Amino acid sequence: MFKQLLLFLLLTVAGFSAHSVLLQVLGSGGPEIGDKRASSSYIVWIDGRSRILVDFGGGALLRFEESNARIEDIDMILLTHLHIDHTSDLPALMKASFFTGRSHDILLYGPEGNRVMPGTKTFIKRLFEDKKGAWQYMGDYLDGRASFQLKTKNVDRSRKVQTLYRKGDITIQAVTVHHGPIPAVAYRVNAGKKSITFTGDMNGAYHTVEALAYRTDLLVAHNAVPKGAKGTATVLHMTPDSIGRIAAESKAGSLVLSHRMLRTLGKEKETKREIRKYYMGPIVFANDKSIYTVK
Ligand SMILES: [Zn+2]
């Protein structure tokens, strides 16, 4: 016991305290039905705790329950953008939290607004604010009267990588990305030397994710459109070859493809071929409840 403690202290002092970090996909689909998938959502498990949620679209709460994650363990929620397929189970999560022993605050980050979309702070107020929100009976979670507070912060529309959060060796970084007219953010979660980067929905036009994801262990990219897609779809989403270019340029350790839609399902071989023109690392297609270990 004493030897183990000594070894732990030595490794910690030397900066080698390795966290166990897992990515669990809750929802691997987009906004459609018929794909038999929940909409976009992920858990980052750190040292056995479900500490960070990224997006929480339709179906995510059921998958959360199936994954044995605990609401009490969530430290923060990172919203890539406010489309319904990335946010719609959030009210259900908040209500479910009432029935748990949760007592510490949840930090929630999401993009600032523009003329098309409200900022995340306004969005959350419109949902829950006392006497004004759609679910105004949840207002006590915003104003501090409940057992914990949902503390919302807008992420600036910066094309430079910014650090949003730092506690011990856990850091959260973000950068703005291009998702048509919709304000959108990509996030990187770092736990010690391990990292996972989430592109969210984007088409890559700002070329900002490459710096955020530089040498990340896992790059989670959204495979919403197939090779040869044109028009609005490519204003909003990356084609497979742009996913390949971004993964290669960022030197990502491996690539997880998610946000799979009816138009990309069944085209995995073609998609992989396109990505392989640029990127030689491991490529996996995510399903709901897939788990990937960050090594
Ligand atoms: Zn989406």
Side-chain angles (χ1 to χ4, degrees), residues 220-268:
V220 183
H222 285 183
N223 178 214
V225 300
K227 176 190 175 186
K230 293 202 165 53
T232 310
T234 58
V235 176
L236 296 171
H237 295 290
M238 296 175 275
T239 51
D241 66 327
S242 48
I243 294 176
R245 254 183 266 131
I246 290 165
E249 211 170 302
S250 60
K251 302 189 193 311
S254 44
L255 180 61
V256 177
L257 298 168
S258 190
H259 201 290
R260 302 170 67 191
M261 293 184 62
L262 297 178
R263 57 200 178 194
T264 53
L265 287 164
K267 294 189 175 166
E268 289 74 17

Side-chain angles (χ1 to χ4, degrees), residues 14-192:
F16 292 123
S17 70
H19 291 285
S20 118
V21 180
L22 304 178
L23 167 70
Q24 181 160 31
V25 179
L26 295 181
S28 58
E32 299 160 300
I33 56 166
D35 58 359
K36 300 186 174 62
R37 290 161 194 271
S39 299
S40 193
S41 186
Y42 309 93
I43 301 177
V44 180
W45 291 84
I46 301 176
D47 302 330
R49 289 174 55 218
S50 47
R51 289 182 64 177
I52 299 169
L53 288 179
V54 180
D55 288 344
F56 212 67
L61 189 69
L62 178 61
R63 297 287 185 249
F64 184 91
E65 184 178 337
E66 291 168 343
S67 71
N68 294 319
R70 282 164 38 97
I71 290 178
E72 292 92 324
D73 288 344
I74 300 168
D75 290 333
M76 71 180 78
I77 302 169
L78 309 173
L79 298 178
T80 59
H81 64 293
L82 305 180
H83 269 154
I84 289 168
D85 58 318
H86 296 253
T87 56
S88 68
D89 261 9
L90 195 62
L93 179 76
M94 286 303 295
K95 184 64 238 178
S97 73
F98 174 81
F99 300 95
T100 69
R102 186 176 179 95
S103 59
H104 68 284
D105 296 342
I106 297 182
L107 276 174
L108 183 145
Y109 292 94
E112 63 181 9
N114 63 6
R115 70 195 151 71
V116 181
M117 295 293 271
T120 305
K121 281 175 109 158
T122 305
F123 175 80
I124 293 296
K125 274 188 180 176
R126 287 181 185 173
L127 293 181
F128 303 126
E129 193 176 17
D130 194 29
K131 298 189 177 71
K132 287 185 190 154
W135 290 288
Q136 57 186 26
Y137 73 103
M138 297 288 287
D140 49 348
Y141 286 93
L142 301 193
D143 61 23
R145 287 175 293 139
S147 57
F148 72 92
Q149 217 177 338
L150 182 64
K151 291 187 165 168
T152 307
K153 295 186 178 185
N154 285 352
V155 179
D156 298 343
R157 207 167 311 137
S158 167
R159 295 201 193 180
K160 288 213 174 104
V161 175
Q162 48 180 322
T163 299
L164 304 177
Y165 173 93
R166 185 187 299 277
K167 194 169 184 186
D169 60 358
I170 311 285
T171 59
I172 308 295
Q173 295 170 292
V175 77
T176 199
V177 292
H178 187 276
H179 183 40
I182 307 300
V185 177
Y187 294 99
R188 177 173 177 145
V189 176
N190 303 285

Side-chain angles (χ1 to χ4, degrees), residues 210-231:
E210 292 85 339
L212 179 75
Y214 191 67
R215 292 200 180 280
T216 194
D217 295 303
L218 287 188
L219 177 61
V220 183
H222 285 183
N223 178 214
V225 300
K227 176 190 175 186
K230 293 202 165 53

